[in-house]
Amino acid sequence: MATPRKNEKKTDAVKAASSEPDLGFTGESSWQYEPSLEGTDHLRFEKKYELFIGGRWVAPKSKKYFPTINPATEEPIAEVAEANAEDVDAAVRSARTAYDKIWSKLRPAERAKYLYRIARAMQEKARDLAIVETMDGGKPIKESRDFDVPTASAHFFYHAGWADKLDLAFHGRPYRPLGVAGQIIPWNFPLLMAAWKIAPALACGNTVVLKPAETTPLTALLLAKIFEEIELPPGVVNIVTGAGATGAALVAHSDVNKIAFTGSTDVGKRIQGAIAGSGKRLTLELGGKAANIVFADAPLDQAVEGIVNGIFFNQGHVCCAGSRLLVEESVHDLVVRKLRDRIATMRVGNPLDKNTDLGAINSKMQLEKIRGLVAAGEAEGAERWSSPCALPKKGFFFPPTFFTNVAQASRIAHEEIFGPVLSILTFRTPDEAVEKANNTMYGLSAGVWTDKGSKSFWMAQRLQAGVVWANTFNKFDPSSPFGGYKESGFGREGGRQGLSSYVEVG
Ligand code: ADP
């Protein structure tokens, strides 16, 4: 059994559960692996990355660059151009020209061919894309290799399939593309978010100006190199790097027809205010505080695996992360014990190690935010348990952590933590589970674990969440629409429904 930390506070539930027989997980001591590092010697990073505008790499008019660092080592990887309003204007103008002269005139089947080429080139470069994603963002290589990169290229394949079948997508109604789409994405799934936004926009005949997040710009820039290589016509996709001011300049530009934003609820609200009355179309995919709801009749080991997958495998850096666990009171102690034993086996450390389960927190700022909210949870009286795992001395790391005895009104039960921190609450009846799950300003996703299909459907009808997973969690597919309710935003991305965000239907 893993040795608890000296300062570990045990809940009554955990204390009671500790005296029960061992369940088979024996903690970190029996799970030693030799390091298995992904090789990086073959990668050649440029010292400076410029802006990708009109199919060329151009120096920013701002003359400014900012470093992007590896959060696992705190070492800089490269300098990246910081686009100002003039640079954004150049990118929008180039997207407009490409829209008017090339992309909107191309036969849909020709657009499809470009999308297929992008998808295939991503597959060919999958290993390097995964390594760079891990180095720039901190997520474990097994996540970027097995999930992010394959799902990103799947989005291009899927939308290539739609490009020449759009006549069937809107019930036979006429449609036309919107024009220039400004797309702003966050740091949690940098390449996947870029693919998720660019692929449907291009399939529907729009051109794009994309702004990646300031802490994870590199894979979007590698994607631009793929666009060059497959000879995507110049200006069809432009990439402007920078921070909030660059995004704000894109939102404010008068010749942008549509803004697609994924990020925090605060910035989403600001964007909504900024474009009000401008006629621009908008989709917002914002924060979440998803509940994983575990009934006593659920397959509990499977549920524990789903809970771990939902909140810990991505350092909790997922807007739809299952950051609240609602567990039926009668199995609370058992689930907490199984969860603690399972978490104690998780390996936290170098994200480039193929055995690592939990990598680095994306930035110092994010780590401080997590620490602040965890301290607030303790101050509000919840009982904290953190894995006794050793953390690397350098880099931004946080141990997988859960709280029991969480009050409904406490900050950790309401605020998005965006870290590997789970708040555990209990319920006695399905009605109470629904009420507690919906008691949040968010509504992005939820998970239901039960042996009874009828109960899953009953819950799904009542849960205010864009996605409800049954006996699984965090499953994605390009053909499934994704999006939220309430302060998690509006509009859907993915699937047939996601296409309507990029066309005007007559
Ligand atoms: P997170 O908390 O996930 O970092 P943010 O909402 O701060 O989310 O950032 C998501 C994206 O929005 C990033 O690309 C960021 O640079 C951009 N951004 C931040 N502030 C603004 C703004 N005022 N207008 C437009 N984009 C912004």
Side-chain angles (χ1 to χ4, degrees), residues 5 194 288:
R5 290 182 160 192

Side-chain angles (χ1 to χ4, degrees), residues 2 8 15 102 175 178 245 252 278 293 307 349 353 385 441 453 460 462:
E8 177 193 343
K15 274 185 230 155
I102 310 171
Y175 67 91
L178 301 174
S278 69
I293 304 161
I307 296 160
D353 189 327
W385 183 87
M441 64 185 197
R462 288 160 181 79

